[in-house]
Amino acid sequence: MGFFDKTEQEQPGAPVTSVDQELRRSKFFGWRDVIICLVIVGVFLLTKDFLGLPKDFLGFGDSFGGLKPVLEETQFGVTGLDGVTHTFVYAEADSIELHDDLKDFLAERKGTLVEGDETRTTLSGTYHNDEYGDYQLHVMTKLKTYILVRDANGVLIFNMESDDTTKELHRYCNELRDQQLGSAS
């Protein structure tokens, strides 16, 4: 008999006697390892909120980086990573400005985090700088554009999902502001 021939019955604990048996055994252990890894990842994803990990921990977040838009007829809001919604009434906004220099703003004028969360992809919370004092910043750092709103409550800076969505939202907010100011006259 040759080396690759089956020479004895496979018994638990018996040494493997053929390449065929070794291949079958390694496939079993390979699948078992994959299943164990999938179970571990599944348990982690299900319990990460319970453990208090940020929503986009290791990139497992939603498309808005954890920020949630709240679009209403008379006001707009952004719900930050902490679950608090920061709103402004369109007609009460002193200005609703679109900027396209987020990287420069974050590098030069962001200031310091007073309270909130900074993750790999999102900045969300109360910040302080010399220009605005305490202000709200809720942005996804991968984008270029952001909206800056000034009103009686201070300054709110945010962006949404993509640069195109942020630009469209800026246009929409200004339209509603103009409509409300026009109907108030």
Side-chain angles (χ1 to χ4, degrees):
M1 284 197 189
F3 178 76
F4 295 107
D5 295 335
K6 196 172 192 178
T7 56
E8 61 183 64
Q9 287 290 74
E10 190 174 339
Q11 298 176 7
V16 176
T17 57
S18 74
V19 171
D20 185 48
Q21 290 174 347
E22 181 60 31
L23 286 174
R24 276 189 275 133
R25 176 186 261 178
S26 67
K27 285 181 187 177
F28 169 74
F29 287 119
W31 280 108
R32 183 188 71 183
D33 293 342
V34 168
I35 290 170
I36 289 171
C37 287
L38 288 175
V39 167
I40 290 171
V41 168
V43 168
F44 171 75
L45 291 176
L46 291 173
T47 61
K48 71 182 180 77
D49 290 331
F50 175 74
L51 296 174
L53 298 173
K55 294 200 182 316
D56 70 343
F57 181 74
L58 299 178
F60 297 114
D62 55 32
S63 63
F64 296 107
L67 303 176
K68 306 274 188 278
V70 180
L71 189 60
E72 297 177 6
E73 191 175 319
T74 59
Q75 66 182 6
F76 179 82
V78 178
T79 303
L81 294 178
D82 59 0
V84 176
T85 301
H86 305 277
T87 61
F88 68 91
V89 176
Y90 303 119
E92 295 176 6
D94 297 328
S95 66
I96 303 172
E97 307 165 15
L98 180 68
H99 296 267
D100 64 358
D101 62 343
L102 182 61
K103 300 278 186 251
D104 292 339
F105 173 80
L106 295 178
E108 299 167 11
R109 302 184 341 246
K110 173 183 74 172
T112 56
L113 177 65
V114 175
E115 183 178 355
D117 294 309
E118 291 185 341
T119 68
R120 186 175 51 85
T121 59
T122 308
L123 304 177
S124 179
T126 303
Y127 285 76
H128 182 87
N129 69 10
D130 293 337
E131 187 175 357
Y132 309 128
D134 285 352
Y135 72 99
Q136 291 299 313
L137 177 66
H138 303 280
V139 295
M140 294 189 309
T141 58
K142 68 180 181 181
L143 301 180
K144 295 178 184 175
T145 59
Y146 63 95
I147 297 171
L148 186 148
V149 178
R150 297 172 198 262
D151 68 6
N153 296 321
V155 172
L156 171 64
I157 296 175
F158 63 95
N159 60 19
M160 288 288 135
E161 184 179 349
S162 69
D163 288 324
D164 288 339
T165 302
T166 302
K167 290 174 186 176
E168 183 62 24
L169 180 61
H170 170 259
R171 186 193 61 73
Y172 182 75
C173 288
N174 272 310
E175 260 180 36
L176 289 175
R177 179 176 178 260
D178 292 345
Q179 285 175 4
Q180 290 178 6
L181 289 174
S183 66
S185 303

